[in-house]
Amino acid sequence: MTTLSPTLELACDLIRRPSVTPVDEGCQELMMRRLGEAGFAVERMRIEEVENFWARRGGGSSEKNGPVLCFAGHTDVVPTGPLESWQYQPFDVRIDEDGMLCGRGAADMKGSLASMIIAVERFVADHPNHKGAIAFLITSDEEGPAQHGTKAVVERLRERGERLDWCIVGEPSSTTLVGDMVKNGRRGSLGCTLTVRGKQGHVAYPHLAKNPIHLAAPALAELAAEHWDNGNAYFPPTSFQVSNLNSGTGATNVIPGELKAVFNFRFSTESTVEGLQQRVSAILDKHGLDYSLDWALSGLPFLTQPGELLDAVAAAIRTVTGRETEPSTSGGTSDGRFIATLGTQVVELGPVNATIHQINERILASDLDLLTEIYYQTLVKLLA
Ligand SMILES: [Zn+2]
């Protein structure tokens, strides 16, 4: 076997550890040791069953000590699914004959973690007296409930007034070539269960019953057809989707007494949670329904406008790959939504996401060396 680059060697070391959410399997121990050796003050933050750590090198948290660039990510991976479906075993990491790094977490996101560590090790060796501070915020619960991970660590950092100017999250943001896309924001996600009450009865005696399906259908049609906003330069228009619709008693001759619909908004910064909630209620009221709504907000939208961080990342990608990156707010939510609440500019930059969460997760191994170089060049632009 040919020798691996430092990034690939570390990536393999991390992927071999079967850290399915929320288990960490020593991934963080390994990262903390490397960062400690590079001069970081490392702080474990185990919260409930979740392993997290915060590490920082240089500067203080006050204004005069210069900006703080934080790398953020997660060591946990999603479950493998049926092992017999994998071409190679998910934690038996390898680089195949096509140069693909194969294994659970290769793309999401142990590859990025390895690139961050190697880039930072090189940077502090080259620039021991760099400006400001470099930090790491790592969790083992991004793929799970995500309550005791980044969200909880961010609360602690907020309480002690920790300054965090810029954050690069290692989520796999690229679509076909590394660096072709970065995420400079994410839509918000607002879920809801709607219950519409009717009156159960015999289908042959509808005048004695109240059919919640008939009552809810036109209201749902109106919700589905509603134009919520136009989006803006960074966000597509807000979308409403029904994911589940349930009613019926199981019998064909019974009008059911109740209907439940589950729906979700992916919303832009042009809409607010309260605004969407009011508009949903107004439509349901207009149809005269007897209903209740059970809302669950899983994330507010965030946006990083063009500025120091986005410019530095775009320039680094251009230097390393010759590509013009495309900033985008598409895709699901990420831990970036918690970090952005600190007033931090947040950009997600990682490898190609084509196989994330799938059987046979893989990325082009050489992309990770490019990613290391991109992180390194970003550090140079911001803190050298
Ligand atoms: Zn991820």
Side-chain angles (χ1 to χ4, degrees), residues 10 31 65 111 114 121 169 196 249 259 328 336:
L10 181 54
M31 293 178 71
N65 289 314
E121 285 177 347
V169 184
V196 176
T249 62
L259 170 141
S328 163

Side-chain angles (χ1 to χ4, degrees), residues 117-304:
I117 296 276
I118 301 299
V120 166
E121 285 177 347
R122 264 182 53 204
F123 179 75
V124 302
D126 295 350
H127 305 271
N129 300 312
H130 59 79
K131 283 193 283 193
I134 309 169
F136 275 78
L137 194 176
I138 304 295
T139 180
S140 63
D141 179 26
E142 196 272 345
E143 305 287 10
Q147 287 304 309
H148 302 126
T150 302
K151 187 182 178 189
V153 174
V154 162
E155 284 321 310
R156 290 195 182 183
L157 297 178
R158 192 196 315 279
E159 277 163 25
R160 62 195 207 195
E162 198 82 44
R163 176 177 166 186
L164 236 160
D165 300 79
W166 306 308
C167 181
I168 297 175
V169 184
E171 287 298 337
S173 61
S174 306
T175 56
T176 51
L177 300 163
V178 68
D180 62 359
M181 183 175 281
V182 298
K183 300 290 169 78
N184 66 325
R186 293 279 188 156
R187 293 178 291 178
S189 173
L190 175 65
C192 187
T193 301
L194 161 70
T195 305
V196 176
R197 285 172 290 272
K199 185 175 180 232
Q200 187 173 321
H202 196 298
V203 292
Y205 300 89
H207 56 291
L208 298 176
K210 224 172 106 185
N211 191 326
I213 301 175
H214 292 197
L215 295 168
L220 286 174
E222 190 169 336
L223 287 169
E226 181 73 5
H227 184 75
W228 303 94
D229 61 42
N230 292 320
N232 54 33
Y234 303 102
F235 287 94
T238 292
S239 81
F240 167 93
Q241 288 294 313
V242 177
S243 61
N244 239 291
L245 189 57
N246 245 292
S247 190
T249 62
T252 54
N253 60 354
V254 178
I255 293 169
E258 195 178 84
L259 170 141
K260 278 190 190 294
V262 179
F263 59 84
N264 180 273
F265 283 106
R266 290 300 157 109
F267 63 105
S268 76
T269 46
E270 296 297 304
S271 287
T272 63
V273 172
E274 299 72 30
L276 293 171
Q277 289 174 332
Q278 278 164 12
R279 288 171 67 185
V280 167
S281 294
I283 289 172
L284 298 173
D285 289 342
K286 196 174 96 189
H287 288 267
L289 301 180
D290 176 12
Y291 68 94
S292 55
L293 294 164
D294 185 12
W295 294 97
L297 175 66
S298 55
L300 291 169
F302 72 91
L303 177 67
T304 296

Side-chain angles (χ1 to χ4, degrees), residues 74 108-109 142-143 171-172 357:
H74 58 89
D108 188 9
M109 54 174 279
E142 196 272 345
E143 305 287 10
E171 287 298 337
H357 295 207

